[in-house]
């Protein structure tokens, strides 16, 4: 009888508590389901940011000299803008937050190879189909910039390859020019040699889509690279074979694409690249191993000759870091 009385007394309360817990659980489940349906496919770009989101080929006026840069603006979550930036030197660096207010966008990034403390500030606005504004360095220098939307460079259909072009004739520098007066490039015993840090070497011929075959040798501690269309660097570096692959190391597209493995034969050995570039899509075969397979290059890499990605460009060999040697440089252009 006492137990029946207690049940009668507390039974309704237990029911209310149970119903409340069920209600709370249902609410949590519903909320969780609502959160889970938000993904990149359901993002709605804020109207103010519609024209800004995307990739931008930028030209910076540095005291009368036109130098290239690159910017990507992306939407993170509901309304936060993030991105990546490439200066005229160095590699792609992340932008954690881009503010956009009253049509003006801005962000700050720390220095990379420029050194020193402080921050770089980029501020600009949309005007028509382009952007323009200023870049203030961590040392207080202010430079004007303009930018245009980067082309997609999409290719369709099968490609037909033309006749091979030997860019290096094994005798002299015919067909090449240097980026400055301090050239360290010579030809000895059929080998193209950059003896030490100096000018870069640029082919006089320009190309759009192509296959490139290069056989090269470097010394211990060396750092160089081959620029495709003069804009995208495939890294040549004395990278330890036991290092984790990375975009800054041997075979990487500098700052953007990492190779699948460290395929270098090491210093003082003849290494071989077979690189196919079609639009933005690149395949890199190093010493017989495919280490980058038909991957998109997002934008120019630091050290690019210009940011005009829709135009043909030369093959350019980096000579301003350390010495490097080549015995073969062949281009097979697409028809």
């Amino acid at each position: 009888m006492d137990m029946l009385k207690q049940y009668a007394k507390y039974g309704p309360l237990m029911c209310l508590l149970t119903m409340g817990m069920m209600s709370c659980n249902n609410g949590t489940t519903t909320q969780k389901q609502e959160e889970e349906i938000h993904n990149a496919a359901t993002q709605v770009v804020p109207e103010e940011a519609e024209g800004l989101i995307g990739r931008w080929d930028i030209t910076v006026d540095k005291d009368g000299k036109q130098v290239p840069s690159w910017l990507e603006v992306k939407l993170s979550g509901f309304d936060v803008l993030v991105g990546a930036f490439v200066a005229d030197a160095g590699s792609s660096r992340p932008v954690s937050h881009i503010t956009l207010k009253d049509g003006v966008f801005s962000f700050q990034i720390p220095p990379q190879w420029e050194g020193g403390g402080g921050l770089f500030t980029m501020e600009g606005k949309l005007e028509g189909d382009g952007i323009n504004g200023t870049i203030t360095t961590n040392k207080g220098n202010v430079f004007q910039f303009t930018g245009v939307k980067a082309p997609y460079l999409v290719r369709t259909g099968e490609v037909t390859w033309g006749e091979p072009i030997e860019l290096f004739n094994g005798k002299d520098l015919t067909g090449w020019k240097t980026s400055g007066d301090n050239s360290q490039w010579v030809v000895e015993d059929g080998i193209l040699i950059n003896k030490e840090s100096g000018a870069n070497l640029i082919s006089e011929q320009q190309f759009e889509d192509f296959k490139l075959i290069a056989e090269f040798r470097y010394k211990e501690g060396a750092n160089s690279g081959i620029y495709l269309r003069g804009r995208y660097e495939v890294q040549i570096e004395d990278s330890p074979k036991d290092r984790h692959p990375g975009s800054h190391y041997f075979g990487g597209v500098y700052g953007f694409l990492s190779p699948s493995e460290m395929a270098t034969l090491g210093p003082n050995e003849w290494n071989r690249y077979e690189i196919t570039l079609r639009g933005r899509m690149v395949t890199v075969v190093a010493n017989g191993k495919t280490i980058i397979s038909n991957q998109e290059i997002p934008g120019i890499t630091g050290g690019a000759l210009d940011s005009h990605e829709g135009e043909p460009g030369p093959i350019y060999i980096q000579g301003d870091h350390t010495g490097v040697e080549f015995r073969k440089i062949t281009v097979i252009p697409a028809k």
Side-chain angles (χ1 to χ4, degrees):
M1 182 65 68
D2 289 340
M3 291 182 64
L4 288 175
K5 288 180 179 180
Q6 289 178 1
Y7 180 80
K9 181 178 180 180
Y10 295 110
L13 178 60
M14 293 296 293
C15 288
L16 287 172
L17 289 172
T18 302
M19 292 175 65
M21 291 177 64
M22 292 175 62
S23 176
C24 289
N25 288 338
N26 287 339
T28 301
T29 302
T30 303
Q31 183 181 1
K32 185 177 180 181
Q33 289 174 344
E34 289 177 353
E35 290 174 351
E36 287 177 346
I37 65 172
H38 295 299
N39 52 53
T42 62
Q43 282 180 315
V44 178
V45 177
E47 183 177 351
E48 187 181 24
E50 283 184 353
L52 183 61
I53 287 177
R55 296 170 178 169
W56 296 91
D57 286 339
I58 291 171
T59 300
V60 183
D61 186 338
K62 284 193 170 182
D63 299 325
K65 182 181 179 181
Q66 306 299 300
V67 301
S69 290
W70 177 87
L71 172 67
E72 182 172 27
V73 180
K74 300 186 291 186
L75 181 64
S76 176
F78 293 106
D79 55 13
V80 176
L81 297 179
V82 299
F85 178 75
V86 176
D88 56 309
S91 62
S92 175
R93 58 189 94 176
V95 179
S96 62
H97 187 202
I98 301 173
T99 63
L100 179 60
K101 185 177 181 180
D102 298 328
V104 176
F105 70 88
S106 65
F107 62 86
Q108 291 187 316
I109 51 175
Q112 194 182 64
W113 300 109
E114 301 90 355
L119 298 171
F120 281 71
T121 300
M122 186 173 196
E123 181 175 289
K125 60 181 178 179
L126 281 164
E127 281 197 355
D129 295 329
I131 58 175
N132 62 72
T134 60
I135 296 176
T136 303
T137 73
N138 62 331
K139 298 177 177 65
N141 300 313
V142 181
F143 303 117
Q144 302 288 326
F145 76 84
T146 58
V148 297
K149 274 290 178 70
Y152 285 96
L153 303 181
V154 174
R155 306 294 195 242
T156 58
E158 294 295 322
V159 62
T160 301
W161 300 106
E163 294 297 318
I165 300 171
E166 299 296 339
L167 288 185
F168 173 50
N169 62 15
K171 301 176 182 178
D172 53 35
L173 295 177
T174 298
W176 296 88
K177 58 184 179 181
T178 58
S179 62
D181 296 331
N182 183 28
S183 176
Q184 300 296 321
W185 295 94
V186 297
V187 178
E188 296 178 356
D189 299 324
I191 298 175
L192 176 63
I193 303 172
N194 183 46
K195 291 192 171 183
E196 58 185 49
S197 176
N200 301 316
L201 194 64
I202 304 167
S203 70
E204 293 178 352
Q205 292 191 61
Q206 297 196 352
F207 305 96
E208 193 167 17
D209 294 350
F210 55 85
K211 290 184 178 182
L212 170 68
I213 300 170
E215 295 180 2
F216 56 92
R217 182 169 61 186
Y218 58 85
K219 296 180 180 180
E220 292 182 6
N223 184 352
S224 183
I226 302 174
Y227 281 75
L228 315 177
R229 296 195 201 112
R231 301 183 187 104
Y232 315 116
E233 182 188 8
V234 179
Q235 181 79 323
I236 294 174
E237 192 210 45
D238 182 21
S239 304
K241 296 179 183 180
D242 60 353
R243 180 175 293 176
H244 293 298
S247 64
H248 293 171
Y249 306 142
F250 183 93
V253 176
Y254 193 69
F256 282 127
L257 303 179
S258 296
S260 59
E261 62 178 288
M262 300 295 282
T264 178
L265 299 180
N268 304 312
E269 300 288 343
W270 285 108
N271 288 269
R272 179 184 174 97
Y273 279 160
E274 298 175 32
I275 303 169
T276 302
L277 181 66
R278 192 173 182 217
R280 290 187 179 279
M281 309 306 290
V282 66
T283 294
V284 179
V285 179
N287 299 315
K289 297 180 179 181
T290 301
I291 56 175
I292 295 176
S293 180
N294 200 38
Q295 295 294 300
E296 183 192 43
I297 304 176
I300 66 168
T301 61
L305 296 178
D306 60 50
S307 58
H308 309 314
E309 292 190 87
E311 300 178 4
I315 302 300
Y316 126 49
I317 304 172
Q318 191 175 55
D320 62 359
H321 282 19
T322 64
V324 67
E325 301 178 356
F326 289 83
R327 66 181 182 185
K328 183 179 184 64
I329 307 173
T330 304
V331 171
I332 306 173
K335 289 185 175 180

